[in-house]
Amino acid sequence: MTGSVWRIPGMRALLVASALGFAGYALLLPTAPLWARHGGADEGGAGLVNAILMLATVLVQTTVPWALRTIGWRATMVTGAVLLGAPSLLFVMSDALWAVLAVSALRGAGFAVVTVCGSSAVAHLVPESHRGRAIGIYGLSIAVPQFLLIPSSAWIAENIDFRVIFLLGFLPVLAVPFAAAIGGRIDRAPQDDAPRVPVTMNALAAVLVPALVLTAIAAPAGAIISFAPQFGFGGATVLVALLILTGVTAFARWLAGGYADRYGPHRFIAPLLVAGALGLVASAFAILWGSAPLVWGGMVLVGIAYGGIQNLTLVESFGSVPQRLRELASTSWNIGFDTGTGLGSLVVGFIAAGTSFTVGLGVTAAVCVVTAACYLGRLRGLKKRAVPYPA
């Protein structure tokens, strides 16, 4: 089954384009806040860097479906790759906070296009019966660069030169020919002549639930990635922690695909949120006690939750609405993901500036538990009313 997904026309070009795009994203996610700290910003200011990146991403994501209808997939995807990669070279001009924020906002616009188009393209290319596995493979294409580059980029910046990272941040531009190929394929595909499905309140509510669930786990994961070098551990401990987080995330996102296709996504989401909360509590105490093994164990649990929920919520989002609303499903899911990442960086950064990172991670753990309880409550409500839950 998995092999058949790999052979679907256009899938390999999509995977290469996504890998290059997320390589540029991963390189600068922990490094741009460090560059702001290099320029004199405090924890709150450093937290603003990825918050602005994600704010720009979320704002532009709302316009991507319009761009796809207006200028087409090829032009939209190529523009996104250029906007994500090319501005990386501008970081070298200044480490002042205002300059770092401005460049981050520009990159966020490109990241918005890359994320919405990538996940939406999976729904265009792959039949629903194989979608969980396809999302798992797509998840690997964006998780493997993060596994390799997020842990190492901060070390390279601090021990070799920030300019090496800024140069490598140009990698998404190399995705232009692959983006053009996949965009052209979707542009040329036969269009469904059925009347356009209106976006109803029910459709919005259906895609809002998985987006909010994803936000709950993306927030602490984004905070960890942004601030792990500032947790008070040695460089080797931080490197191993980030390798564990990103590696387990990649594996969990891939593994969850088969389970989502076989059993449906909804039954796994609440347990994963609780597992993520336990990992966050362990990490919070690890920072307090200075325990490297405890923070590594916490990263395992957070990675399982983070990766699994990414896959499951995207499958649920696509299954919640008609096929012709797949761009809405993709956009809402990506907004949930990036809102969480930005909020985590911003909120935990400001909490840490006033108290500590232990308190900040504790707050995010509580949010995960509350979200799990609300999700279970919704499932029970649907069951009582005999409403079929989306597969």
Side-chain angles (χ1 to χ4, degrees):
M1 282 293 190
T2 298
S4 63
V5 173
W6 282 98
R7 290 194 295 269
I8 290 174
M11 194 66 185
R12 293 180 183 177
L14 173 63
L15 298 178
V16 174
S18 298
L20 288 169
F22 273 81
Y25 165 78
L27 281 160
L28 287 159
L29 195 62
T31 308
L34 280 178
W35 185 236
R37 291 298 301 271
H38 183 274
D42 62 7
E43 290 90 345
L48 276 173
V49 174
N50 285 339
I52 290 296
L53 171 75
M54 293 308 168
L55 175 61
T57 298
V58 168
L59 291 176
V60 176
Q61 278 170 340
T62 62
T63 71
V64 174
W66 171 84
L68 293 174
R69 294 192 302 269
T70 304
I71 64 174
W73 276 78
R74 183 197 295 266
T76 302
M77 292 187 72
V78 167
T79 301
V82 172
L83 282 176
L84 177 58
S88 174
L89 303 179
L90 299 177
F91 276 120
V92 74
M93 299 177 63
S94 175
D95 60 3
L97 181 59
W98 68 267
V100 177
L101 294 178
V103 176
S104 296
L106 193 57
R107 293 181 61 248
F111 189 56
V113 176
V114 170
T115 53
V116 172
C117 289
S119 54
S120 185
V122 175
H124 276 273
L125 297 171
V126 182
E128 188 173 357
S129 60
H130 287 56
R131 197 164 288 162
R133 276 155 285 189
I135 290 171
I137 293 172
Y138 168 73
L140 281 179
S141 75
I142 65 180
V144 169
Q146 294 180 76
F147 168 67
L148 296 174
L149 299 175
I150 285 177
S152 59
S153 61
W155 185 90
I156 292 171
E158 293 185 308
N159 293 277
I160 301 177
D161 199 315
F162 277 93
R163 288 173 293 186
V164 174
I165 300 300
F166 299 153
L167 180 61
L168 292 174
F170 190 77
L171 280 172
V173 178
L174 302 184
V176 164
F178 301 99
I182 184 63
R185 175 175 291 277
I186 296 176
D187 281 335
R188 293 190 300 271
Q191 299 299 311
D192 189 350
D193 293 329
R196 181 172 298 279
V197 176
V199 180
T200 64
M201 291 302 297
N202 286 339
L204 289 173
V207 297
L208 181 62
V209 171
L212 289 175
V213 169
L214 183 59
T215 298
I217 193 64
I224 289 168
I225 291 169
S226 295
F227 294 115
Q230 304 172 47
F231 281 171
F233 296 103
T237 298
V238 171
L239 178 63
V240 172
L242 289 176
L243 282 170
I244 292 171
L245 174 63
T246 53
V248 172
T249 296
F251 180 73
R253 182 165 181 173
W254 168 76
L255 185 65
Y259 288 100
D261 285 342
R262 191 173 299 117
Y263 303 110
H266 53 279
R267 68 187 65 192
F268 304 107
I269 288 176
L272 284 174
L273 283 168
V274 173
L278 292 174
L280 290 166
V281 170
S283 302
F285 279 107
I287 295 170
L288 184 64
W289 298 335
S291 171
L294 189 56
V295 78
W296 294 337
M299 291 302 99
V300 172
L301 289 173
V302 174
I304 290 171
Y306 187 41
I309 289 173
Q310 285 180 49
N311 187 308
L312 297 170
T313 51
L314 185 54
V315 173
E316 181 179 338
S317 189
F318 282 134
S320 298
V321 294
Q323 284 284 347
R324 288 179 64 84
L325 291 180
R326 54 198 160 199
E327 272 74 41
L328 171 67
S330 176
T331 300
S332 65
W333 183 89
N334 279 287
I335 287 175
F337 188 99
D338 297 324
T339 298
T341 304
L343 278 177
S345 178
L346 180 65
V347 173
V348 173
F350 278 105
I351 291 175
T355 55
S356 67
F357 284 115
T358 294
V359 175
L361 293 184
V363 169
T364 61
V367 171
C368 286
V369 172
V370 171
T371 304
C374 293
Y375 190 83
L376 285 175
R378 180 172 184 264
L379 286 182
R380 292 193 187 100
L382 291 174
K383 186 176 181 181
K384 286 180 180 178
R385 297 196 304 272
V387 177
Y389 201 85

